[in-house]
Amino acid sequence: MNKVYKFFLAIILGILLLFFGKSFIEKSQVNRDNKALYFYNWGDYIDPELISEFEKETGFPVVMETYDSNEAMITKIKQNSTDFDIVIPSEYAVEMMRDQGLLEKLDHSKIKGLENIDPRFLNPAYDPGNEYSIPYFWGTFGIIYNTKTFNEEDFSSWRNLWDEKFRGKILTFDGARETMGIGLLANNLSLNTKDPDKLYKVRDDLIGFMANVKAILADEIRMYVSLEEADIGITFSGDASIAIESNEDIAYTIPKEGSNIWFDTMVIPKTSKNKEAAYAFINFMLREDIAARNAEYVMYASPNAKAVELLDEEIREDKTLYPDDEIIDKLEVFTSLDRETTILYNDLFLDLKISPQAE
């Protein structure tokens, strides 16, 4: 087969691929169930029984897909391969999606139950006036540890994690913002620092911390610590609460410098084809009885103050999930970073992951 023939064959195959690919996408859109609510959520982040109840009450069938990162979710929304009606982005992702024109501005006249949300969690910096998002869950980022080996004073400061006594004992979360955040907090800097010179210095400082890291993981941290295969884990409050429930010798703390407070939210993408179902779902999840049951299932903190009142006293008074105002006042929300700074954070985190001390 000569080169000219191969060239024209490649062109023809390319055209056919584009044609059938386009037809497949169009067919997927045509086959969409116009009555259904298309829901894009984190994995295991809603009580399945609530999905069934929503379907029975409203008549809207739910088609749910899951994702494992805000970035992956945003990419899929941009591709518009599925017209999702409800998505659950984190706070900084709300900013990103809003600025990229991916979100529908909410019609508050169609929303019932917003008054149930704790006023502390309304009108956030990442979405003034809650024009695009409604709080779904919230939590903190801190340290779980085995009380048979360490005490709370050992973690009074993030800087303590550089101590040689922690060599090979720390499991830390696999995230650029979170890891760089540890260094920023240890140096009394904002979690949203953008100055490249300061970020490079923090990266260099974190090499000492990485020397104490046993592994860089995600959700598995809570399991390994609760099974006492590691003494220390740096993770989120919901995972910490689950670990503590599994092992009474595990405790959670936030060092004196403070930490990150995060929010996951409900939004309606611009491409939603069933906004009636989307608002019905938001209103359903804002009901205090529904939000309380969801919080008990997911084991993260509910922003719904009326729902919290319905929780068992043991859960309501769990300071891992619901810290005192004194702690909350020292917490900072991640804000969206510009593209250049985001790339820098990711590059510096990669440097740390491949540094000799991290091996």
Side-chain angles (χ1 to χ4, degrees), residues 178-194:
E178 289 81 8
T179 302
M180 290 295 292
I182 293 169
L184 290 166
L185 290 164
N187 286 277
N188 295 306
L189 295 170
S190 167
L191 290 175
N192 299 298
T193 296
K194 298 179 181 179

Side-chain angles (χ1 to χ4, degrees), residues 287-297 302 307-308 310-311:
R287 281 170 37 188
E288 58 264 41
D289 59 324
I290 299 300
R293 288 169 55 193
N294 202 31
E296 288 176 348
Y297 175 85
S302 175
V308 173
L310 299 178
L311 297 174

